[in-house]
Amino acid sequence: MAKIVLTETETEICTLLNRVADHIRATTNEQLTLRIAGGWVRDKLLGLASHDIDIAVDHMSGFTLAQHVTSYMQLHSIATSSVGKINSNPSRSKHLETATTKVLGQFVDFVHLRSETYEEDSRIPQIEFGTPEEDARRRDITINALFYNLQTREVEDFTGRGLKDLEEGVVRTPMDAEQTFKDDPLRVLRVLRFASRFGYEIEKETARAMEREVVRSELERKISRERVGVEVEKMAEGERPVLAIQLILKFGLYECVFRAPSRETWADDVDVDAMAAESVTRCTLKMLDEASLHALIPSQYSVTLHDRRILILASYVYPFHAAVAADRKRNASVALLVVRDGLKLPTNDADSIAAVHMLVPRITAMAALCCAGPVERNTLGHLIRDAGARWIVATVFAAAVQLHKGVSTDQVVATFSAFIRAVKEAELEDAFKLKHIVNGRDVATLLGCRTGPGIKPVLDRIMDWQLAHPRGTHDECREFIIEEIAPHMPL
């Protein structure tokens, strides 16, 4: 029989909650059973740490149970926190009210066991109190439908398949797969996410159902773009982002998941090669693992988990990198629109991904120049200023794109290492932070003109001078303005 080994804190929490249950039984005659549900059970059986404790209770709402827990702790002089109520929010896939509070310093969620029935045109279920069997069957996949009974300290597998599927590495739905997906098509993406997260195989009937056009159609029709974005984000942040995009492509879901604006709004008829997403993602991970390249990266610009997420998302939408479409009376990158509108991810993410795509040809060309010989400092500096703080992320992505295009790993590493080395030797890592040595007001005074947008070309020339003369002083810059710029100013 599968056994879960509790940590000291988990043991104390389970013991306390059992005492609460005993107290409720003794004072109300309510014969309730408490169970930990879902992902915590799965992860503990896999030997993974988990702090996501969800307590499922029968015969009582989660909010009422949480209030009982808090009252019991107060009665026994145990530190408490307020009980928070998270209302149901179907657009965010929260179909059930949840209560949350701290138990012995750890947040614990409380819900009631439930059964669900669906109307044909909605993924929002009608919810009723249910049995453990009904609660297990309504879950997305069997390995997420396991329970840990706090009283018996045993794992319960009411689908009859969860433990075996966990052992064999299989992802399947507890009930008929097609009906499961038609009821809530978001489960299609959750199957893909958990299969890619753990490297598990999708069971044949589950896979067949995912390939049916009616299921794809329901996914397109019923699921909000916010929910699609949440699942894609989790795939990108997971351990196997290549497998995630492979599965999306395998099941013909790329256009549905990464929804682009109507082709009628595109400026040109650009070919979108969805399969490139897998190749670029694989190449991006290879460049992220390239030790010799990263050894050159300045410590303050080391690639973070956030940067990795941006790089993977940029790889997923790379097929759109050359496309432009109308957007609010201007043109915008289709990749940006896919991220912003198709996935409903933050605007900052969309802007970063579009910028990384845009910088690829410039950084690639500059890297080739650096590999061939010395490059003027101001030329390098302008690129770093345009790229901003994301210049390293864009460099890693540009290297990945070259690898995707068939350039050898050794050549890619040599070329982009030369670029990073040149930036460091020129002390341009922070060039985007550089301020004008003579400000706009002083420039206007020297030239006898007004401040405003018209002075920008002059400021650009001053920055070019600064980049070319890193040790230049304020007085030398004033002299440059008077001798080189002022004579050419219109009277």
Side-chain angles (χ1 to χ4, degrees):
M1 181 175 291
K3 286 290 183 182
I4 283 179
V5 178
L6 301 177
T7 66
E8 183 177 346
T9 300
E10 289 167 343
T11 299
E12 292 173 351
I13 290 173
C14 290
T15 300
L16 175 61
L17 292 175
N18 270 334
R19 289 174 180 165
V20 173
D22 290 340
H23 179 73
I24 294 172
R25 294 187 197 101
T27 56
T28 67
N29 289 323
E30 192 73 68
Q31 298 303 306
L32 75 167
T33 302
L34 305 186
R35 298 173 171 87
I36 303 180
W40 180 92
V41 185
R42 177 201 65 225
D43 288 348
K44 293 293 288 187
L45 288 171
L46 291 173
L48 304 174
S50 178
H51 303 289
D52 185 20
I53 297 179
D54 295 337
I55 301 297
V57 59
D58 50 6
H59 311 305
M60 182 181 291
S61 74
F63 185 72
T64 301
L65 174 60
Q67 289 179 312
H68 277 293
V69 171
T70 300
S71 297
Y72 182 89
M73 290 194 295
Q74 289 172 342
L75 185 65
H76 291 80
S77 301
I78 301 171
T80 63
S81 64
S82 60
V83 176
K85 183 186 288 188
I86 305 170
N87 294 321
S88 62
N89 185 352
S91 70
R92 287 284 178 181
S93 202
K94 282 283 184 184
H95 300 311
L96 183 67
E97 177 184 281
T98 303
T100 185
T101 191
K102 274 191 174 182
V103 179
L104 301 180
Q106 181 168 327
F107 280 107
V108 176
D109 288 346
F110 298 87
V111 296
H112 66 73
L113 295 172
R114 66 192 193 265
S115 65
E116 297 177 347
T117 55
Y118 288 83
E119 299 293 334
E120 184 176 347
D121 292 331
S122 175
R123 63 174 286 265
I124 302 172
Q126 299 296 315
I127 296 172
E128 298 178 354
F129 279 89
T131 65
E133 292 83 0
E134 289 171 329
D135 193 279
R137 287 197 298 269
R138 61 93 193 165
R139 292 178 180 263
D140 49 8
I141 54 179
T142 58
I143 63 173
N144 290 344
L146 299 167
F147 293 93
Y148 180 70
N149 188 308
L150 297 193
Q151 187 171 4
T152 65
R153 301 294 173 96
E154 292 180 351
V155 175
E156 298 172 330
D157 182 6
F158 292 105
T159 70
R161 295 174 173 174
L163 288 172
K164 185 177 180 182
D165 286 345
L166 196 63
E167 181 181 353
E168 296 180 353
V170 174
V171 174
R172 83 171 81 223
T173 57
M175 299 180 67
D176 176 75
E178 182 173 339
Q179 190 59 50
T180 295
F181 295 144
K182 287 167 69 175
D183 284 344
D184 185 357
L186 182 68
R187 291 167 176 160
V188 171
L189 299 186
R190 289 178 61 82
V191 165
L192 297 183
R193 174 158 66 86
F194 284 106
S196 63
R197 175 180 173 183
F198 295 115
Y200 285 1
E201 179 183 354
I202 300 175
E203 179 265 336
K204 289 181 181 178
E205 287 304 317
T206 303
R208 288 194 186 101
M210 291 168 65
E211 292 171 340
R212 294 187 181 120
E213 184 58 38
V214 64
V215 170
R216 294 178 193 166
S217 175
E218 291 295 90
L219 177 61
E220 182 76 27
R221 186 172 68 91
K222 286 186 177 181
I223 304 303
S224 71
R225 302 316 298 176
E226 288 88 351
R227 290 306 304 157
V228 174
V230 167
E231 294 301 320
V232 170
E233 239 186 330
K234 290 180 178 179
M235 293 181 205
E237 293 168 348
E239 294 183 9
R240 298 175 181 84
V242 174
L243 180 56
I245 195 67
Q246 282 177 335
L247 291 172
I248 289 172
L249 291 165
K250 174 183 177 180
F251 289 100
L253 296 171
Y254 188 85
E255 291 184 4
C256 174
V257 172
F258 300 99
R259 182 193 287 175
S262 168
R263 282 273 185 167
E264 295 177 357
T265 67
W266 291 28
D268 298 297
D269 186 18
V270 177
D271 181 48
V272 174
D273 177 16
M275 299 306 294
E278 176 190 345
S279 173
V280 176
T281 304
R282 188 186 303 279
C283 293
T284 295
L285 289 179
K286 186 173 179 61
M287 288 297 100
L288 284 171
D289 289 337
E290 187 56 56
S292 59
L293 186 66
H294 287 273
L296 294 171
I297 295 176
S299 58
Q300 69 269 35
Y301 297 116
S302 296
V303 178
T304 65
L305 288 176
H306 172 75
D307 294 335
R308 179 186 184 275
R309 170 179 163 278
I310 291 296
L311 284 165
I312 297 302
L313 289 170
S315 302
Y316 282 178
V317 298
Y318 179 76
F320 301 104
H321 75 281
V324 173
D327 174 55
R328 302 170 188 172
K329 298 183 179 180
R330 63 182 179 86
N331 284 337
S333 157
V334 171
L336 180 149
L337 301 178
V338 169
V339 175
R340 189 193 71 193
D341 302 334
L343 299 176
K344 296 294 184 181
L345 296 183
T347 300
N348 285 344
D349 288 350
D351 290 340
S352 293
I353 288 165
V356 165
H357 283 180
M358 180 187 69
L359 286 164
V360 166
R362 292 186 63 190
I363 290 178
T364 301
M366 188 65 72
L369 289 175
C370 292
C371 199
V375 175
E376 292 185 358
R377 188 178 189 276
N378 54 341
T379 302
L380 263 179
H382 285 303
L383 176 54
I384 300 302
R385 285 181 62 79
D386 289 345
R390 59 173 68 97
W391 72 271
I392 279 293
V393 173
T395 300
V396 172
F397 192 73
V401 170
Q402 291 308 295
L403 198 63
H404 157 71
K405 291 182 176 180
V407 181
S408 72
T409 301
D410 288 346
Q411 184 59 51
V412 168
V413 171
T415 300
F416 289 92
S417 293
F419 170 64
I420 296 173
R421 195 177 295 112
V423 173
K424 290 173 66 177
E425 289 173 355
E427 299 180 348
L428 287 166
E429 302 99 311
D430 299 323
F432 57 91
K433 298 179 181 178
L434 193 61
K435 304 295 184 183
H436 289 89
I437 197 169
V438 178
N439 64 40
R441 183 172 298 176
D442 290 346
V443 169
T445 300
L446 283 172
L447 298 177
C449 64
R450 293 182 178 180
T451 58
I455 207 170
K456 184 181 182 301
V458 175
L459 293 175
D460 289 343
R461 286 196 63 189
I462 292 170
M463 181 54 65
D464 188 69
W465 181 90
Q466 285 181 234
L467 290 170
H469 300 83
R471 306 292 182 260
T473 66
H474 179 272
D475 288 343
E476 289 172 337
C477 186
R478 284 171 58 91
E479 184 178 343
F480 166 74
I481 295 169
I482 293 168
E483 294 183 358
E484 299 295 333
I485 298 179
H488 303 286
M489 290 294 292
L491 297 176

